[in-house]
Amino acid sequence: MEALIRGLRSSRKGEKVDYSIKIQELQKQLTMFREEAEKLQDDRDKFLSLALEAYQQCLVIGGKYDLRVVFRLVSLWFSLSSRQSVVKAMLSTVKEVQSFKFIPLVYQIASRLSSPRNSQGSNSFQKMSIDHPYHTIFQLLALANGDRIKDKQRSRNSFVVDMDKKQAAEDLLHELYSHHGRVIQQMRQMVEIYIRLAELETKKEDTNKKVALPRDVRSIRQLELVPVVTASVPIDPSCNYVEGSFTYFKGLTESIIVMNGINAPKLVECFGSDGHRYRQLAKSGNDDLRQDAVMEQFFGLVNTFLENHRDTRKRKLRIHTYKVVPFTPSAGVLEWVNGTIPLGEYLLGSNRNGGAHLRYGAGDWRFSQCREYMANEKDKRNAFIKVCDNFRPVMHYFFLEKFLQPADWFERRLAYTRSVAASSMVGYIVGLGDRHSMNILIDQATAEVVHIDLGVAFEQGLMLKTPERVPFRLTRDVIDGMGITGVEGVFRRCCEETLSVMRTNKEALLTIIEVFIHDPLYKWALSPLKALQRQEETDDDLSSSLESPNYADEGNKDAARAKLRVKQKLDGYEEGELRSVQGQVQQLIQDAIDIDRLCQMFPGWGAWL
C-alpha cells in the first residue's frame, strides 16, 4: 500500500488513474479484513468470557474435575492477565470458589505477586493465606527472603531475584499479622534457624562427622504453631486448623551431620509432636531449590493421574516424591528419604572403587579404568563394547542380598521394575537430564527408585558440554535388576501404561507445563557456562565459576519451544513420525539402550554401569 502511494505521488498524469484504482481496491480489502478481525476478536472474547464463567461454575458446584479446571483457569489468567475482563472474572472467581482449590498452584500464584499490592496474584494469595496459613506462609517468607544470597554467591546470576516480589511479600505478611501474627512470628523463627544451619561454615575434616549445634539453636523451644516443615499438613476445606490437626515442631537434636558435597549440606533431625524424629537436609549452594520444588510438584500431579486410572493404580505405578521447601534463592530444606542409597554407591561404593562390582565382579575392570579408557579412546563405539565386555552388570545381587525370602525377592524386583518404568516415562516427558548413578536413589525396603537433583529439565541435557542423547537411564545394571526378562514383559508393559495415562491427560499436563515454564521464578534454562559446570561437578566435584553475565536476562525465552517439544512427546511424535503408545515406547527403549548413543555420553555418567 505504501509503495503504491509513493508511486502515485511520483507518477505521470496517465498513470495516476491506475494507481488510484489499485489503492481504492486495496483499501476496501483492508477495511474488510479489519472488520473480519474485529468480529473474530469479539467472538474470541465471548468464548473466553464463557469459558471463564464455566470454569468458575465447575469449581463452585463440584470437585470431580478440580485439578484440571484450576490449572486451565490459572493458565488463562496468567497468559491473558493484561485484559481487564480476565482480571475481573478472576476476582469474581476468587470470591466465589473455595480457596483450598488453588493450593496446588500456590508456588505459581505466589510468583505473580508484585508491588503495588493490587497485583493480579495478591488478592487470591491473600485469601489463601488467611484460610490456609500452613500451605502459603512459607512461600511468602521465601519471597520476602528473595535477595538473601550468601556473599560469595552474589556475583552469580544463578538466581532470579525480583525486588518487586520481595516488597509485595513483605507487605502481604504485614497485612496477615492481624490474622496470623503468632504463626508468622514462629515461622520466621524456624526459617532463620534452618537458613543458619544451611549456611553454617564447616571444615573439610568435619565431612561425615557429627557437629554440635550452635548454643542458641540448641536452646530453641518448641514452636507449637509451626508444623514440621517436611511433614505433610492435610488441607482442611473448612479452614479450621486446630491444635492436633498437624505435627508441630518441638526442636532439633543436639548435633548435625555434615554431608559430603560441594556445599556441605547438613543432615538435621527434627522432633515432631507425634514423637517421631524427622530427618531433613538443610542445603545452601549454587542450585536454586525452587526448581526442585516445582519438579516435585509436577511429579505429585502426575501421581494423581496415575492413581485415578484403573490399570496404573492396580500396578501401583507412581513416582516416589519427597518434600522440598525453599527459604531463600540459595537455601532451603529437603525431606531426607529414609532407607535409601544412591544407585552408584551400591554398585561402586562411596569412592567408586568398591561396592557390588568389587564383591561380585571378580576379574572385571574398575570403574576408574573404564572411565579412563572411554575418555582416551577415539573410536568410542569399539571402546564402549570393550568396556562392557570387561565390566559385567551385578544389580540383580541387590535383591538377593536384601530380600532373602523368595516371595519378598519377587515382589521387590517387581516394584523396582515398575518404579523404573514410571520414572523413565515421566522423566522423558519433562526432559529430565543429568541422570548419573548418584542422582538415582534406591529404597532398600521397597526397592523403588527416587530421583534427586532435578535442576536439568526440559531437555536442557542437550545443552551440556557433552550432550545427553538418551531419553532416560536404562543402562545394563539398571536392566540387570529387572531379572531374566530385562526390558521385555513387566518393564515394557508398565512403560506403555504410564505413557498411555499421560497421553490421555495430555491437555491437563500441557497446561501444567505451561504454567511451570512461564513461572518468572523458575529459571529452568541452563546458561552455557552452567551447562559446562554440570558435568565438571559430576566428574570431579569442582566448584562452580561465575555465570554468563548476559544469560540471566534472557529469562524463559525458550519456553514456547520447550512446551512444543512436550506436546510433540504427548502426541506421540518421535523423529517426525506419529507413533502409537506401543511404538513410542519401543522407540524410546531402543534409543535408551542404543550403543551408538551410549558410547557418546559423558564418561562420568557411566553409560556402561
Side-chain angles (χ1 to χ4, degrees):
M1 178 74 83
E2 289 177 1
L4 285 172
I5 292 170
R6 285 197 300 271
L8 176 64
R9 288 170 183 164
S10 61
S11 63
R12 290 173 297 195
K13 282 188 178 180
E15 295 173 339
K16 284 192 176 183
V17 176
D18 294 335
Y19 275 113
S20 297
I21 291 170
K22 286 180 181 177
I23 288 170
Q24 286 173 3
E25 287 176 358
L26 285 173
Q27 283 176 335
K28 285 180 183 177
Q29 288 179 6
L30 188 60
T31 303
M32 286 170 59
F33 289 150
R34 279 177 178 157
E35 287 175 357
E36 193 172 340
E38 286 173 8
K39 188 174 180 299
L40 285 171
Q41 187 60 51
D42 287 343
D43 288 344
R44 188 183 173 190
D45 289 343
K46 286 175 185 174
F47 287 132
L48 175 62
S49 177
L50 192 62
L52 292 170
E53 188 180 338
Y55 286 143
Q56 177 183 326
Q57 289 301 312
C58 184
L59 290 171
V60 169
I61 292 168
K64 186 176 180 181
Y65 302 103
D66 280 356
L67 201 59
R68 293 189 186 195
V69 170
V70 80
F71 271 94
R72 189 72 197 115
L73 182 67
V74 171
S75 178
L76 284 172
W77 172 24
F78 289 169
S79 59
L80 300 169
S81 57
S82 58
R83 296 194 184 189
Q84 282 304 308
S85 59
V86 174
V87 173
K88 284 180 182 176
M90 279 308 301
L91 288 172
S92 169
T93 302
V94 167
K95 288 177 184 174
E96 295 291 328
V97 176
Q98 288 178 290
S99 56
F100 78 90
K101 298 192 177 187
F102 291 97
I103 294 292
L105 277 165
V106 64
Y107 273 106
Q108 288 67 41
I109 296 173
S111 70
R112 261 64 185 188
L113 289 175
S114 62
S115 193
R117 266 270 295 112
N118 59 354
S119 66
Q120 55 175 313
S122 298
N123 290 312
S124 57
F125 206 88
Q126 183 181 31
K127 186 181 176 188
M128 272 198 296
S129 300
I130 293 169
D131 293 346
H132 307 281
Y134 301 111
H135 301 88
T136 52
I137 291 177
F138 280 131
Q139 281 78 15
L140 281 177
L141 291 171
L143 281 176
N145 291 330
D147 62 340
R148 282 186 63 172
I149 302 168
K150 287 171 73 175
D151 290 339
K152 64 181 181 181
Q153 295 165 341
R154 278 197 178 276
S155 58
R156 306 177 188 279
N157 291 318
S158 303
F159 308 106
V160 180
V161 178
D162 190 321
M163 296 306 292
D164 238 16
K165 291 183 184 1
K166 170 183 162 60
Q167 188 58 51
E170 287 178 348
D171 292 346
L172 187 49
L173 283 167
H174 183 71
E175 289 180 25
L176 290 171
Y177 256 92
S178 60
H179 300 276
H180 302 297
R182 287 187 63 220
V183 173
I184 294 171
Q185 195 174 1
Q186 290 193 11
M187 280 187 173
R188 277 190 192 275
Q189 195 177 351
M190 190 178 74
V191 167
E192 288 301 321
I193 291 169
Y194 279 115
I195 294 173
R196 185 171 171 194
L197 290 177
E199 297 180 348
L200 189 68
E201 296 290 339
T202 56
K203 300 171 186 174
K204 197 169 184 181
E205 53 266 29
D206 291 335
T207 303
N208 294 324
K209 293 179 182 175
K210 285 188 176 183
V211 176
L213 284 177
R215 184 177 297 175
D216 55 330
V217 175
R218 264 182 298 174
S219 62
I220 189 74
R221 62 182 180 80
Q222 70 177 31
L223 304 173
E224 69 281 353
L225 298 178
V226 183
V228 172
V229 69
T230 52
S232 294
V233 179
I235 296 172
D236 185 352
S238 67
C239 313
N240 189 24
Y241 294 96
V242 295
E243 187 178 341
S245 62
F246 59 84
T247 303
Y248 64 80
F249 178 91
K250 287 199 75 172
L252 300 170
T253 53
E254 293 190 351
S255 61
I256 56 175
I257 299 176
V258 181
M259 305 300 290
N260 192 21
I262 304 163
N263 302 297
K266 323 301 186 302
L267 179 59
V268 182
E269 278 195 316
C270 160
F271 294 112
S273 59
D274 57 357
H276 290 121
R277 289 187 178 194
Y278 292 83
R279 301 184 97 191
Q280 303 161 338
L281 198 67
K283 187 177 179 183
S284 171
N286 304 322
D287 293 325
D288 192 338
L289 286 183
R290 292 177 298 198
Q291 298 189 18
D292 284 55
V294 168
M295 289 306 293
E296 286 296 328
Q297 187 185 5
F298 178 80
F299 291 162
L301 291 164
V302 171
N303 280 342
T304 303
F305 293 130
L306 293 173
E307 177 63 28
N308 289 340
H309 190 273
R310 185 190 62 189
D311 291 336
T312 49
R313 182 173 63 249
K314 183 175 69 176
R315 290 177 170 83
K316 299 177 183 176
L317 294 177
R318 70 185 188 104
I319 310 298
H320 199 309
T321 59
Y322 55 92
K323 201 163 181 184
V324 181
V325 187
F327 291 140
T328 75
S330 61
V333 171
L334 297 89
E335 178 185 356
W336 182 266
V337 189
N338 286 316
T340 59
I341 183 173
L343 195 61
E345 189 172 323
Y346 171 76
L347 294 171
L348 302 171
S350 55
N351 60 0
R352 292 200 166 192
N353 273 317
H357 274 281
L358 183 64
R359 294 197 296 276
Y360 303 111
D364 283 358
W365 288 5
R366 296 289 179 91
F367 180 85
S368 54
Q369 286 177 267
C370 299
R371 180 170 159 178
E372 188 179 351
Y373 189 77
M374 284 300 300
N376 295 334
E377 288 295 309
K378 287 189 171 62
D379 186 345
K380 298 295 183 187
R381 194 179 197 283
N382 285 332
F384 185 75
I385 291 170
K386 187 171 181 180
V387 164
C388 290
D389 290 340
N390 289 280
F391 195 85
R392 293 165 295 174
V394 297
M395 185 62 198
H396 67 279
Y397 287 106
F398 174 83
F399 300 93
L400 294 172
E401 287 180 1
K402 305 289 181 183
F403 311 108
L404 303 181
Q405 296 300 318
D408 293 340
W409 167 84
F410 181 79
E411 186 182 350
R412 296 308 167 208
R413 195 186 67 178
L414 192 62
Y416 165 81
T417 307
R418 288 169 170 171
S419 176
V420 172
S423 59
S424 296
M425 290 299 104
V426 178
Y428 162 70
I429 291 297
V430 296
L432 189 61
D434 199 27
R435 297 298 89 203
H436 59 80
S437 60
M438 299 302 284
N439 275 348
I440 301 174
L441 311 180
I442 184 163
D443 192 311
Q444 297 181 87
T446 67
E448 290 181 312
V449 296
V450 187
H451 286 259
I452 61 171
D453 194 0
L454 311 172
V456 180
F458 300 111
E459 297 198 342
Q460 290 299 300
L462 292 170
M463 299 297 296
L464 296 170
K465 182 184 175 185
T466 304
E468 295 186 351
R469 302 199 179 277
V470 293
F472 42 81
R473 188 176 190 93
L474 193 61
T475 51
R476 295 180 313 138
D477 265 307
V478 174
I479 296 171
D480 188 60
M482 299 175 190
I484 192 67
T485 57
V487 298
E488 304 304 330
V490 174
F491 178 78
R492 184 182 295 273
R493 183 64 178 158
C494 289
C495 283
E496 290 170 358
E497 291 292 350
T498 304
L499 190 60
S500 176
V501 167
M502 295 184 80
R503 283 174 62 164
T504 301
N505 292 282
K506 177 178 66 176
E507 293 302 324
L509 288 173
L510 281 174
T511 301
I512 294 165
I513 292 289
E514 185 173 34
V515 172
F516 285 172
I517 61 182
H518 286 293
D519 185 338
L521 294 182
Y522 181 32
K523 186 184 171 186
W524 53 266
L526 289 175
S527 72
L529 194 54
K530 190 73 174 176
L532 174 68
Q533 291 158 2
R534 267 276 165 183
Q535 290 181 336
E536 287 180 341
E537 288 170 11
T538 302
D539 190 7
D540 299 310
D541 280 354
L542 297 179
S543 59
S544 299
S545 310
L546 295 181
E547 287 285 321
S548 170
N550 298 322
Y551 193 81
D553 298 331
E554 294 182 14
N556 290 348
K557 73 174 188 179
D558 291 333
R561 178 200 58 78
K563 186 195 170 191
L564 177 62
R565 183 65 192 112
V566 173
K567 185 178 186 303
Q568 287 173 342
K569 292 175 181 178
L570 291 170
D571 284 336
Y573 280 98
E574 296 297 333
E575 299 178 355
E577 294 181 9
L578 183 61
R579 308 285 173 93
S580 65
V581 170
Q582 292 78 8
Q584 191 176 10
V585 168
Q586 168 63 21
Q587 181 69 57
L588 293 174
I589 292 174
Q590 200 61 45
D591 289 347
I593 62 175
D594 183 10
I595 289 177
D596 291 319
R597 291 172 183 259
L598 289 170
C599 71
Q600 297 297 328
M601 293 292 287
F602 173 63
W605 196 82
W608 58 90
L609 188 62

